[in-house]
Amino acid sequence: MGIENYGCNEIAILMAAGLGTRMAPLTEKTPKPLVKVFGKSMIETIIDALQKRGVKHIYVVVGYLKEQFDFLVNKYDHLSLIENAEFKTVNNISSIHAAAPIMGNEDCFICEADLYVADTSIFQAKLDHSCYYGKMVKGHSDDWVFDQDETGRIIRVGKGGDDDFNMCGVAWLKAKDAKIIADAVMEAYRHPGTYENLFWDDIVHQQIHKVDLTVHEVFHHQITEIDTVDELQTVDPDYKQYNQ
């Protein structure tokens, strides 16, 4: 259980369905979340942190090379796999669509699964407010950022900004906000041709006036999203000998 048992009424959704093409050729035979950093797969650094918090159930949304995730069910208590059958043709909104039926009854973490968690304490925070975890980046960033009003409420989730908190792949939603997002994803699916290229964060932005989101600050050394072999080599020196 978690140190303060904050997670006992929470679930977590880990999005692990993608092709991971930017980390090829490592991902030609291994799903990106199962690539190891310092000897442990990235997804397991997240799972271990969530279990320390005491999250009552973890759902891993799988697609690409899905059978390679089967060992997680036997290794970890209170963990289930959800299949995303659309991972090849629809952006990551499809993973939230696959998980939508279990959203809305409990507070919920939603995490990218290609994260290396170096400091599990970031998952021990007492969270009272729906939030994205964010890292402050001074100067301009082309990545996903959060614009906030004077009270700290997020008023935009989108790409590009200056002196903003940058997205780092973790969100925590109160049950009511998780229900709003799940319902909005289901509604988007009623309009073929409009949703297929959307990230789930685009849906959050569309619903930003209905959800009350803030930023929970974390720091660069605590958690890293790893998208490419170059980024992997920067984090884990053992990969510096890897020849693409």
Side-chain angles (χ1 to χ4, degrees):
M1 301 297 287
I3 294 171
E4 297 292 343
N5 200 23
Y6 294 139
C8 62
N9 293 311
E10 298 171 342
I11 64 170
I13 298 167
L14 276 55
M15 296 186 294
L19 294 165
T21 52
R22 285 192 289 169
M23 198 180 280
L26 281 178
T27 49
E28 290 175 359
K29 296 183 178 180
T30 303
K32 185 164 65 166
L34 295 183
V35 171
K36 293 183 178 181
V37 180
F38 297 113
K40 178 181 285 189
S41 67
M42 287 189 278
I43 195 171
E44 289 186 85
T45 70
I46 307 166
I47 293 169
D48 287 346
L50 290 167
Q51 290 206 326
K52 286 181 181 178
R53 181 179 177 87
V55 169
K56 74 175 186 179
H57 204 93
I58 298 170
Y59 298 89
V60 181
V61 184
V62 299
Y64 176 60
L65 298 175
K66 62 183 181 180
E67 67 282 352
Q68 293 192 29
F69 292 93
D70 290 347
F71 79 97
L72 294 174
V73 177
N74 295 322
K75 184 173 181 178
Y76 294 97
D77 295 333
H78 313 297
L79 186 147
S80 302
L81 304 182
I82 297 174
E83 182 177 359
N84 172 1
E86 301 177 293
F87 72 93
K88 290 183 180 179
T89 57
V90 182
N91 212 331
N92 76 4
I93 186 177
S94 60
S95 286
I96 299 304
H97 182 257
I102 52 95
M103 294 173 62
N105 293 320
E106 294 98 356
D107 299 340
C108 177
F109 277 100
I110 298 178
C111 305
E112 302 283 350
D114 56 350
L115 306 174
Y116 170 61
V117 179
D119 181 1
T120 60
S121 71
I122 64 172
F123 283 95
Q124 295 298 333
K126 187 176 189 297
L127 302 172
D128 298 315
H129 214 281
S130 293
C131 61
Y132 273 100
Y133 281 31
K135 302 176 182 179
M136 173 54 67
V137 174
K138 295 297 184 182
H140 182 74
S141 172
D142 291 323
D143 289 334
W144 287 82
V145 305
F146 312 114
D147 291 346
Q148 300 169 272
D149 65 15
E150 63 279 0
T151 70
R153 179 174 177 168
I154 295 174
I155 56 175
R156 180 180 78 97
V157 180
K159 289 188 176 181
D162 299 292
D163 299 328
D164 275 327
F165 283 102
N166 280 33
M167 185 181 293
C168 63
V170 178
W172 184 84
L173 300 177
K174 297 288 288 182
K176 64 180 181 63
D177 291 330
K179 181 68 162 56
I180 289 169
I181 299 306
D183 287 349
V185 169
M186 297 300 290
E187 175 61 28
Y189 261 68
R190 295 189 180 97
H191 305 279
T194 64
Y195 68 83
E196 288 84 353
N197 292 321
L198 293 178
F199 292 90
W200 86 274
D201 309 282
D202 290 313
I203 299 297
V204 176
H205 176 71
Q206 292 173 11
Q207 302 298 313
I208 205 68
H209 60 292
K210 295 182 181 180
V211 294
D212 192 7
L213 281 166
T214 60
V215 174
H216 178 72
E217 185 173 11
V218 295
F219 299 96
H220 291 274
H221 68 279
Q222 294 180 303
I223 183 170
T224 306
E225 184 172 8
I226 302 176
D227 288 321
T228 66
V229 173
D230 286 344
E231 291 174 357
L232 180 61
Q233 290 172 330
T234 298
V235 174
D236 186 345
D238 284 348
Y239 284 95
K240 290 190 180 295
Q241 305 303 316
Y242 177 74
N243 186 354
Q244 296 184 57

